[in-house]
Each structure stands twice: as structure tokens, then as C-alpha cells.
Amino acid sequence: MDTVSNKDVVRRIYEEVVNAQRFDLLEDYFSPEYVNHKMPGGREGTKQLFVMSFDAFPDAQVSIDSMCEAGDRVWVRISMRGTHLGTFMGMPGTGRTFAATTINVKCAD
């Protein structure tokens, strides 16, 4: 039987959920008890954040720059790019592009 590493799961989240904008798949990857310490509201709050973000930046894409796995934790450094075309946090679309880099830690708790 094949085992799937936590890194594989994290990679699939970025590819299948974020880049493909398939937010319905969050339920496949995040338990109902999921806590996001950056965004309140657990799994539903995370879904709302994705919907709001992609409404404003419909062409946004994430690329994985590096990943590290230790036990049940995965650190991932990602780069995001997109164009501000819709309203985001009260600011109407500007047509300007953005690029950002962030580091996230995912735990398999």
C-alpha cells in the first residue's frame, strides 16, 4: 500500500484547491475542527478568504518555492502572483499586478 507524505498533501492543496480554485475540496483536506491562526472561522473562514481573494485577484496563482517536512509538520515557502481586478477589502480593482512570498506551516494534527 502506498503512503502519501504530508508534503504531497500540502502540494495537492496548493495545486488542486488554490490554483484550480476548487474551494469545495477544502473538506477533503481540512477537518471540521481545523483552526487557522491567521484567519478566524476555521475551514469555512478559510473558504471565505479564498473566495474573497479570488474574486479580487481572479488570475492569482501560487508556486511552491521550497518545502521541508519534519514529523507531522510541513513548512512551505510560496510565491503568489496575480492582478487586482475586483474589489478587495473595500478597494476597487486597480489593474495592477502583485507578487508576494510567504511561509506557511501545516500540521497533520
Side-chain angles (χ1 to χ4, degrees):
M1 178 178 193
D2 287 337
T3 59
V4 177
S5 76
N6 290 332
K7 283 173 59 173
D8 291 333
V9 172
V10 170
R11 185 178 320 280
R12 287 179 21 210
I13 290 169
Y14 285 109
E15 291 172 357
E16 297 174 9
V17 178
V18 178
N19 284 340
Q21 298 185 32
R22 290 287 315 274
F23 311 126
D24 57 306
L25 297 178
L26 281 171
E27 294 178 9
D28 294 345
Y29 294 103
F30 294 74
S31 74
E33 296 83 24
Y34 167 72
V35 175
N36 181 336
H37 297 284
K38 294 180 190 176
M39 177 72 181
R43 186 170 67 188
E44 188 56 36
T46 298
K47 180 178 181 180
Q48 290 173 7
L49 175 64
F50 284 149
V51 168
M52 177 184 68
S53 298
F54 280 95
D55 282 349
F57 304 93
D59 64 343
Q61 289 287 292
V62 172
S63 60
I64 296 173
D65 301 324
S66 61
M67 296 178 88
C68 179
E69 181 176 18
D72 69 347
R73 299 188 193 289
V74 176
W75 290 263
V76 60
R77 182 174 167 262
I78 60 170
S79 295
M80 301 172 284
R81 298 183 190 293
T83 310
H84 184 200
L85 298 176
T87 301
F88 185 72
M89 299 178 77
M91 177 183 278
T94 63
R96 295 177 65 189
T97 58
F98 82 96
T101 299
T102 186
I103 295 175
N104 295 307
V105 178
K106 309 293 184 194
C107 303
D109 297 330

